[in-house]
Amino acid sequence: MTCLRHLYTHRCHKLKSMPPGLGNLTNLRMLTCFVVGVPGPDCSDVAELQNLNLGGQLELRRMENVIEAKAKVANIGNKKDLRELTLRWTSVCDSKVLDNFEPRDGLQVLKIYFYGGEYMGMLQNMVEIHLVHCERLHFLFRCGTSFTFPKLKVLTLEHLLNFETWWEINERQEERIIFPLLEKLFIRHCGKLIALPEAPQLFIGKCGKLIALPEALLIEEASSRDYRLVRSPFPALKVLELENLQSFLRWDAVEGTHVEHMFFPLLEKLSVQKCPKVIDLSEAPKLSVLEIEDGKQEMLCWVDKYLSSLTNLILKLEDIERRSEAQCTLSVPVDSNEKWNQKSPLTVMELGCCNSFFGAGALEPWDYFVHLKN
């Protein structure tokens, strides 16, 4: 089998190890999944990958069987033709395999599951990073590393229960955009996160207690007439999903400045689920999809500023019977604001417990939602 070039094993979910001598397949260019076995004569360990010029995507399972020295020999992530790497542990356990992890520039996508280390190595050249159930991770960056991700477009942080800060020493970094190209950001169940990058005024207890987004940086945004200064830590962000942020209060932490705040100049989709303390929304002029689940009735007061751009609206608010405060309604008269003279582009709308949406003084739905299909 020395001429074998492609070996597809990613759907062999019951595979417990790889056969010994796999490193002799020197013509192998594609190996979708390598299951690391307990070192011994009956299976291959990760060192067998050392001389294989693998490309495309590779998943390493049962990473708990990899010791640091073997990982270094195997050059995990340093193969010039490798584009996507998945590292998966069976469960969270002590590991330092990724402490000094420095993948080659050609690697674009990194997915890590159940890693038991306290921090990562250099991940600055990734296009996509997904960290899931890395429950002992305390911070992402060590001192002396670059704090900007010039290529990153997708970032997922999920079930990082001990994730407290972004770098080893929690201090303000130089004024530069850390995520200049980030388009999708997903943060869920990060138990002890206390701050986002560039956030000296941010107070967070955990992802469930997020209070404010970071102080924005100055950027120039072209408009139809001229240029204006706006503040945005995420100038390219298009999709933002926040879930289970029990104390998230507001979107910006900057007050008393003459510079206009626009945290999300290109945001197209915003999903806010189970964030019970959020009562307003940040400015996002290009927002077209808005999903709010288990939100307060007060959120209804802020939805109106997006109706002129939304095509999809899912609004499920808490039961009005559980609240005693006065409720809000979309009661802006059509002739009081130029945007209300336009017809809403909404084609899909789902409302739950929005008791005041069509209440007294609200917009006439048949005159305004003329494009509604569902």
Side-chain angles (χ1 to χ4, degrees):
M1 297 175 63
T2 54
C3 292
L4 190 67
R5 295 178 61 86
H6 299 86
L7 179 56
Y8 300 97
T9 53
H10 55 285
R11 294 184 179 178
C12 304
H13 299 295
K14 294 185 178 181
L15 196 62
K16 295 182 179 180
S17 63
M18 308 301 289
L22 194 69
N24 294 324
L25 303 180
T26 54
N27 288 309
L28 200 62
R29 295 295 178 267
M30 173 70 75
L31 175 61
T32 56
C33 181
F34 182 93
V35 182
V36 183
V38 177
D42 297 327
C43 63
S44 291
D45 60 33
V46 73
E48 295 273 7
L49 303 178
Q50 178 180 4
N51 297 317
L52 299 183
N53 186 22
L54 299 175
Q57 63 183 50
L58 171 64
E59 178 178 353
L60 299 183
R61 295 180 188 165
R62 295 180 177 264
M63 284 289 293
E64 62 271 16
N65 293 326
V66 177
I67 61 177
E68 187 175 0
K70 292 287 187 180
K72 192 172 296 185
V73 169
N75 260 344
I76 298 175
N78 280 316
K79 300 187 181 300
K80 62 182 179 66
D81 295 323
L82 199 62
R83 296 293 176 263
E84 179 176 329
L85 177 63
T86 299
L87 304 176
R88 190 185 297 271
W89 282 254
T90 304
S91 60
V92 178
C93 56
D94 288 331
S95 179
K96 295 185 178 181
V97 170
L98 302 182
D99 284 6
N100 298 303
F101 185 55
E102 296 186 19
R104 184 183 287 268
D105 289 350
L107 189 66
Q108 298 180 355
V109 181
L110 180 63
K111 301 178 180 180
I112 300 176
Y113 298 86
F114 295 100
Y115 177 55
E118 295 184 358
Y119 55 87
M120 300 288 180
M122 296 281 288
L123 307 180
Q124 275 65 34
N125 291 318
M126 296 294 102
V127 177
E128 289 189 29
I129 297 177
H130 303 268
L131 303 178
V132 181
H133 281 289
C134 301
E135 296 177 2
R136 298 184 183 181
L137 192 70
H138 286 181
F139 49 86
L140 292 186
F141 325 128
R142 300 205 68 180
C143 293
T145 62
S146 172
F147 294 99
T148 184
F149 288 76
K151 302 177 182 178
L152 193 64
K153 292 186 177 181
V154 180
L155 177 60
T156 298
L157 305 174
E158 188 168 352
H159 286 282
L160 310 185
L161 301 184
N162 283 307
F163 182 41
E164 296 181 2
T165 183
W166 295 82
W167 39 74
E168 190 172 10
I169 296 179
N170 191 17
E171 60 184 17
R172 184 177 175 83
Q173 304 302 315
E174 61 184 272
E175 289 286 332
R176 56 180 171 177
I177 300 176
I178 297 179
F179 302 113
L181 299 183
L182 191 67
E183 295 181 358
K184 298 181 179 180
L185 175 60
F186 309 97
I187 304 178
R188 307 180 183 100
H189 306 289
C190 296
K192 295 182 179 180
L193 186 62
I194 60 174
L196 293 180
E198 299 291 339
Q201 301 182 40
L202 190 62
F203 306 94
I204 306 174
K206 53 183 178 180
C207 217
K209 292 187 176 180
L210 194 60
I211 296 178
L213 284 180
E215 178 178 337
L217 304 175
L218 292 178
I219 64 170
E220 284 188 340
E221 183 192 68
S223 65
S224 57
R225 298 178 181 178
D226 53 13
Y227 285 85
R228 59 176 176 165
L229 286 177
V230 299
R231 288 185 174 271
S232 176
F234 306 107
L237 196 66
K238 294 183 179 180
V239 177
L240 174 61
E241 294 188 7
L242 303 176
E243 183 179 347
N244 280 310
L245 310 184
Q246 296 300 318
S247 297
F248 189 95
L249 295 177
R250 61 183 187 272
W251 298 95
D252 69 322
V254 187
E255 299 178 356
T257 176
H258 298 293
V259 183
E260 181 180 358
H261 297 173
M262 186 182 295
F263 267 60
F264 309 114
L266 298 182
L267 191 68
E268 297 175 359
K269 178 182 178 180
L270 172 62
S271 176
V272 181
Q273 300 183 37
K274 299 180 180 179
C275 301
K277 293 189 177 181
V278 174
I279 60 173
D280 65 357
L281 299 172
S282 181
E283 183 179 357
K286 297 186 180 297
L287 194 67
S288 60
V289 178
L290 176 61
E291 300 175 358
I292 300 175
E293 191 169 327
D294 292 334
K296 288 184 177 294
Q297 288 286 333
E298 288 89 338
M299 293 288 285
L300 197 59
C301 300
W302 296 86
V303 172
D304 65 315
K305 65 181 180 181
Y306 296 107
L307 284 179
S308 61
S309 65
L310 291 179
T311 59
N312 290 61
L313 173 63
I314 298 177
L315 194 59
K316 299 179 181 179
L317 305 182
E318 63 181 12
D319 192 344
I320 192 173
E321 294 181 357
R322 289 183 286 169
R323 301 294 307 278
S324 59
E325 297 92 340
Q327 304 305 321
C328 300
T329 183
L330 296 181
S331 58
V332 180
V334 174
D335 59 355
S336 69
N337 191 316
E338 182 179 351
K339 75 176 181 179
W340 296 103
N341 293 325
Q342 307 172 11
K343 303 302 182 182
S344 169
L346 270 174
T347 60
V348 177
M349 181 163 61
E350 181 179 349
L351 304 178
C353 291
C354 301
N355 301 41
S356 304
F357 199 88
F358 299 118
L363 298 170
E364 296 290 348
W366 34 82
D367 291 337
Y368 187 66
F369 301 108
V370 296
H371 299 290
L372 199 61
K373 296 181 179 179
N374 299 317

